[in-house]
Structure formats: C-alpha cells, structure tokens
Amino acid sequence: MLVEVTAMMLFLGLLLGFVGAGGSGFIIAILTVMFGYPIHTALGTALAAMFFSSLSGSVSHYREGNMKLKTGAIVGLSGAIGAWVSSSWSSFIPEDQLGWMTSGMLFSSGLALWFRMMYQAKHAGKEAAVPMRASGLRFYIFAAAIGLITGALSGLFGIGSTPFIQLGLMLILGLSMRFAAGTTMLVIMPIALAGGAGYYTVGYLDIRLLIAVVIGTVLGAYIGAKFTKRVPALMLKTCMVLTPMLGAAILLA
C-alpha cells in the first residue's frame, strides 16, 4: 500500500505545489479516509513531513534576507516545547472526537489565512507600523507565548499553524509581511521535528509511511510549483484558503 500512498502523495504534491499551500490537512484526510490509517498516525506523519517541506523554504527565505533569526529561534524553540507536550495529549482523545477537532482547526486555519491575506492587501507595500524591539522581557514573553500556543496546536492536531504563526508575528511582534513569511518557515522546523518525535515516542509515527509521504509530496510540489505563474493571483489565493477547508470536509466524510 505504500506504493499507492507515494503515488497519491505525488499527485497531491502537484496540487499543493501549484497553489502554494502547505497541505498537512489534505495529507491527514487522504491517509485516514482513502487508506484507512488511524488519525493519530496520520497526524504524526503529516506533522513530521512538514519538517522537510519547511527546510527548503527556510533556506530560500534566509538567502533572500527575509528572516529574523533571533525571533524565529525563540518562537520556534518554544513552539517545539508546545508541540512535544501536546503530541502526547492526542493519545488521550478518542479517534472520532480527534477527527472532528482536527477538522475544526483546519477550517479555522483557512479563515486565519483569509484574514492574513486581507491584512496583507491592506498593508501592501508598508512595513509594520510599530515593530517590537527584539530584546527585553516583554519581547521574550510574547515571542515564547506565540511559539507555545501555535506549537501546541500543531502537536495536537498535526497542522502547520502557518497562518496563526504569521498573524502572531505581524500583529503582536510587529514584523512586516515579508519577514513574517520568512521567519515562519524557520519556526515550523523545530515544531515539526519535536511534534513528530513526540508522536514517535507514543507509537503514532510510521517511519515507512513518513518516507512514502515525503517522497511523493516533495517531488510533486517541486514540479507543481513550476506552473504557479500560469494561474491568476485571485485563483491562487482562493485555492490557498479553500485547501485546508477542503481537507477538513474530506476528513469529516
């Protein structure tokens, strides 16, 4: 069945790379609904797979100068703590209830992404009005809080929490859209690594399944991304918002 999983993830990667979406919710939905994997295993797999997708994104944003390393390190490390702790909590939640909760978080993620796009459109071409200085007790408290909350969401529900992280960086720490996007890639890496490790310790991470998912999605996304410029911007934004919501709908099927 792993061959079928890889083939499906290749197709899914084409779609996700095409629209520029993360797709952890889609991965969870496909693994549970189409292939019958327990949702706990699907959550752990989707979360761990995000490490590899965010790694390449982090390198690219770093080279482009779109990253605040200190902010990303603090938010990411505190997020790793939240993801590690919350990943063990999911084992106490029955599968049917966890499915509904994850679906709800995916819908919320789509709404948060829509809000971020509206914020970005309103502040297009502008830097953050009052960026918080990356020093002092206030900065460390807020940065750690953003990491702990978004990391806990990622660890418990297997989602990337990308729009939530970006909103926190922009609205609370005052980062511009440019730096929020780049820094988020760095933040996701330790969250995905710690969350995946947490699921592995409780027996909910299948390494062979993870390899199949990573191979399929990475190859597919690489190819699909080459066709992104052929699609109108409005269509891309619409697909990005609807992707997690569609994953949520499939998960409820």
Side-chain angles (χ1 to χ4, degrees):
M1 186 165 60
L2 291 178
V3 176
E4 289 84 353
V5 170
T6 303
M8 177 57 68
M9 290 300 139
L10 178 62
F11 176 77
L12 179 58
L14 287 170
L15 174 62
L16 298 176
F18 186 51
V19 302
S24 60
F26 243 124
I27 295 175
I28 295 170
I30 294 299
L31 291 180
T32 55
V33 176
M34 292 192 61
F35 294 100
Y37 282 97
I39 189 169
H40 294 89
T41 301
L43 295 182
T45 301
L47 184 58
M50 284 191 300
F51 172 81
F52 299 94
S53 60
S54 60
L55 177 60
S56 59
S58 295
V59 173
S60 177
H61 278 292
Y62 177 76
R63 289 178 176 176
E64 294 295 327
N66 298 333
M67 190 177 292
K68 294 289 187 180
L69 290 177
K70 181 178 180 180
T71 300
I74 296 172
V75 177
L77 290 176
S78 58
I81 296 174
W84 171 268
V85 174
S86 66
S87 61
S88 63
W89 296 346
S90 67
S91 61
F92 299 104
I93 304 176
E95 287 194 10
D96 57 341
Q97 295 183 21
L98 186 57
W100 279 92
M101 295 169 67
T102 301
S103 179
M105 282 305 304
L106 289 172
F107 275 114
S108 299
S109 179
L111 292 175
L113 183 57
W114 173 82
F115 181 81
R116 192 216 65 172
M117 289 179 177
M118 295 300 99
Y119 181 90
Q120 183 175 0
K122 183 177 179 180
H123 296 81
K126 301 178 183 178
E127 290 294 315
V130 186
M132 186 181 297
R133 181 175 297 180
S135 61
L137 181 61
R138 182 169 176 264
F139 166 78
Y140 287 106
I141 291 176
F142 280 115
I146 294 172
L148 285 171
I149 294 172
T150 56
L153 291 175
S154 294
L156 186 59
F157 300 110
I159 62 175
S161 294
T162 297
F164 300 108
I165 296 172
Q166 290 183 353
L167 286 175
L169 294 177
M170 288 190 295
L171 300 181
I172 298 178
L173 298 185
L175 268 63
S176 66
M177 279 83 71
R178 168 194 167 194
F179 285 111
T183 304
T184 296
M185 288 288 98
L186 177 61
V187 171
I188 291 175
M189 287 177 60
I191 289 178
L193 189 61
Y199 275 96
Y200 180 78
T201 59
V202 295
Y204 289 132
L205 180 60
D206 187 325
I207 299 299
R208 292 188 301 171
L209 176 61
L210 173 63
I211 293 174
V213 170
V214 170
I215 291 176
T217 53
V218 169
L219 289 178
Y222 178 80
I223 298 172
K226 295 182 178 297
F227 298 92
T228 299
K229 292 183 179 180
R230 298 176 180 270
V231 176
L234 179 60
M235 182 180 295
L236 281 176
K237 292 180 180 180
T238 302
C239 291
M240 289 177 67
V241 173
L242 293 180
T243 293
M245 294 184 174
L246 183 57
I250 296 174
L251 190 58
L252 292 177

